[in-house]
């Protein structure tokens, strides 16, 4: 199964096919209109309220560009939708996450009306809104409170307007290899949030496992992704990395960020973590028994439980001593292209995907992350994978983190440039760059990129 980006690229098996689709999408989007970036927000013709939605009398095809799910994974959802709404066909075009922003930029900035719906990575909501790529859905869906979790609703709201339809969220766990810990004499962590480990303890225990024969002591799932590494600085009071008016002032050069990144760099300097492992391959190292501690999402549970000889457990995402518990969150929403010529049909699908009877979750046999829909979460937590004894405590932990420690990424119109710069910064730090110098360089780069938004 291709896993949702939070954020991650497509797995190798689907990359060539999906890459070809992405290329075709880019070509499709090059033909019309002018750059709409920064323009006044436009509304597609025919937008109506959810209560007044009616299926079209004649066949309509809507185009949906997505990065959250592969074409195969979303098939059951589309099949169920097509059966219930026979006059609406959804043409789903899957795009790898790493190419997705480029595809959207090409098509949406040129007011390409052949694209109706697209996935919105939640922290990019403000950035897309600033570019005029999103439709104001406030009047179409006026009563969202209580229908989706509060964090997802906040992430889909910009300037007080609902500009996207949230359909999934996320959280994190700390996986640990029981065999490696047992060999090193390290006690198994508790799965209770109150017993959350500190990163200092994890580091010390990781070293012990290596001394006892483990190849690697600790490896982050998303080694250079802001999604997973932001909580390190947040735990130490460093904040999101963005501040000031509109969150358009870099805030990376502070004690929290420098201490967090110094610790992160030390993992590679001390050879607790391996250098040069691509993001797509990190879970494979844990699944093969080479890693003692692996901070990662519940979406890896299926892969890990499929390894019959892999004896592992889960515990809460750690925090720094003296700091606070912070966990990553956020997933995907659906955006409606203001240039869409099929607004009503698109609205019907948005409502079906996110809200109707719990949304998409009811149709997928395997759910990698919780749906945003409060009515759909039961489908996620009742999955067979969570009945595996090795996943004991995962459901309770995920519920706890989403309710208490989940922290959204920085909200800023310049998020795209911010995230891209930080990915390079994390790579530099893991490869031995001075954290203070790397953060200073990132600050300069982001400041230059953000000048156009101020």
């Amino acid at each position: 199964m291709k896993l949702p980006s939070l954020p991650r690229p497509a797995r190798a098996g689907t990359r060539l096919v999906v890459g070809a689709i992405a290329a075709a999408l880019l070509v499709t989007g090059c033909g019309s209109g002018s750059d709409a970036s920064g323009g006044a927000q436009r509304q597609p013709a025919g937008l109506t309220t959810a209560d007044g939605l009616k299926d079209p009398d004649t066949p309509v095809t809507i185009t949906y560009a997505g990065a959250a799910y592969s074409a195969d994974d979303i098939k059951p959802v589309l099949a169920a939708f097509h059966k219930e709404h026979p006059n609406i066909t959804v043409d789903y075009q899957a795009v790898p996450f790493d190419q997705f922003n480029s595809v959207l930029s090409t098509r949406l900035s040129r007011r390409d009306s052949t694209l109706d719906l697209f996935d919105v990575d939640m922290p990019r909501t403000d950035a897309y809104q600033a570019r005029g790529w999103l439709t104001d859905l406030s009047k179409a869906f006026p009563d969202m409170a209580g229908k989706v979790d509060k964090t997802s609703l906040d992430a889909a709201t910009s300037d007080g307007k609902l500009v996207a339809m949230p359909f999934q969220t996320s959280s994190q766990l700390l996986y640990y290899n029981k065999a490696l810990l047992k060999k090193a004499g390290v006690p198994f962590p508790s799965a209770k949030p109150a017993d959350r480990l500190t990163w200092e303890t994890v580091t010390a225990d990781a070293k012990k496992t290596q001394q006892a024969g483990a190849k690697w002591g600790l490896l982050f799932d998303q080694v250079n992704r802001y999604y997973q590494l932001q909580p390190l600085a947040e735990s130490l009071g460093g904040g999101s990395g963005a501040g000031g008016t509109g969150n358009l002032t870099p805030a990376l050069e502070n004690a929290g960020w420098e201490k967090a990144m110094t610790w992160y760099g030390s993992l590679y300097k001390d050879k607790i973590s391996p250098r040069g492992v691509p993001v797509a391959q990190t879970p494979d190292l844990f699944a093969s028994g080479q890693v003692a501690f692996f901070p990662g999402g519940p979406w890896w549970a299926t892969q890990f439980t499929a390894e019959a000889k892999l004896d592992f457990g889960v515990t809460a995402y750690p925090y720094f001593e003296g700091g606070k518990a912070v966990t990553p969150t956020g997933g995907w929403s659906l955006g409606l292209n203001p240039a869409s010529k099929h607004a009503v049909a698109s609205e019907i699908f948005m409502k079906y995907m996110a809200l109707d009877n719990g949304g998409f979750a009811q149709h997928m046999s395997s759910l990698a992350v919780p749906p945003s829909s409060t009515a759909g979460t039961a489908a996620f937590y009742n999955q067979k994978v969570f009945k595996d004894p090795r996943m004991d405590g995962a459901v309770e932990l995920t519920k706890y983190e989403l309710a208490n420690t989940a922290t959204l990424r920085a909200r800023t119109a310049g998020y795209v440039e911010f995230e891209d710069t930080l990915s390079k910064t994390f790579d530099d730090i893991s490869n031995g760059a001075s954290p203070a110098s790397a953060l200073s360089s990132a600050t300069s780069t982001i400041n230059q990129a953000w000048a156009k938004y101020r």
Side-chain angles (χ1 to χ4, degrees), residues 411-450:
R411 299 291 303 269
T412 171
Y415 183 83
V416 175
E417 298 90 340
F418 180 72
E419 183 181 57
D420 289 347
T421 300
L422 283 182
S423 289
K424 297 180 179 70
T425 301
F426 297 141
D427 277 336
D428 289 344
I429 291 171
S430 68
N431 285 318
S434 159
S437 296
L439 292 171
S440 175
S441 177
T443 297
S444 297
T445 300
I446 295 167
N447 256 324
Q448 292 176 10
W450 282 359

Side-chain angles (χ1 to χ4, degrees), residues 8-9 11 215-216 218-225 264 268 272-286 288 290-291 294 426-427 430-431:
R8 297 191 64 93
R11 299 292 269 170
K215 187 170 184 179
W216 304 110
L218 170 62
L219 177 61
F220 278 79
D221 174 11
Q222 300 181 30
V223 291
N224 64 354
R225 299 287 173 82
Y264 189 64
Y268 299 89
I272 298 170
S273 300
R275 283 180 172 141
V277 179
V279 170
Q281 295 176 15
T282 58
D284 299 335
L285 293 186
F286 184 80
S288 63
Q290 299 180 58
V291 176
F294 182 80
F426 297 141
D427 277 336
S430 68
N431 285 318

Side-chain angles (χ1 to χ4, degrees), residues 158-216:
S158 184
D159 296 330
K161 305 170 187 173
L162 180 72
V163 294
M165 175 63 77
F167 64 87
Q168 59 151 246
T169 186
S170 68
S171 188
Q172 291 274 291
L173 301 163
L174 176 64
Y175 296 88
Y176 59 90
N177 184 305
K178 288 186 174 181
L180 296 179
L181 266 63
K182 184 177 181 180
K183 188 177 179 181
V186 175
F188 299 156
S190 164
K192 296 179 180 179
D195 298 329
R196 189 184 306 269
L197 297 174
T198 64
W199 286 118
E200 290 86 351
T201 297
V202 173
T203 306
D205 288 345
K207 290 179 179 178
K208 291 177 183 177
T209 65
Q210 286 183 290
Q211 291 166 2
K215 187 170 184 179
W216 304 110

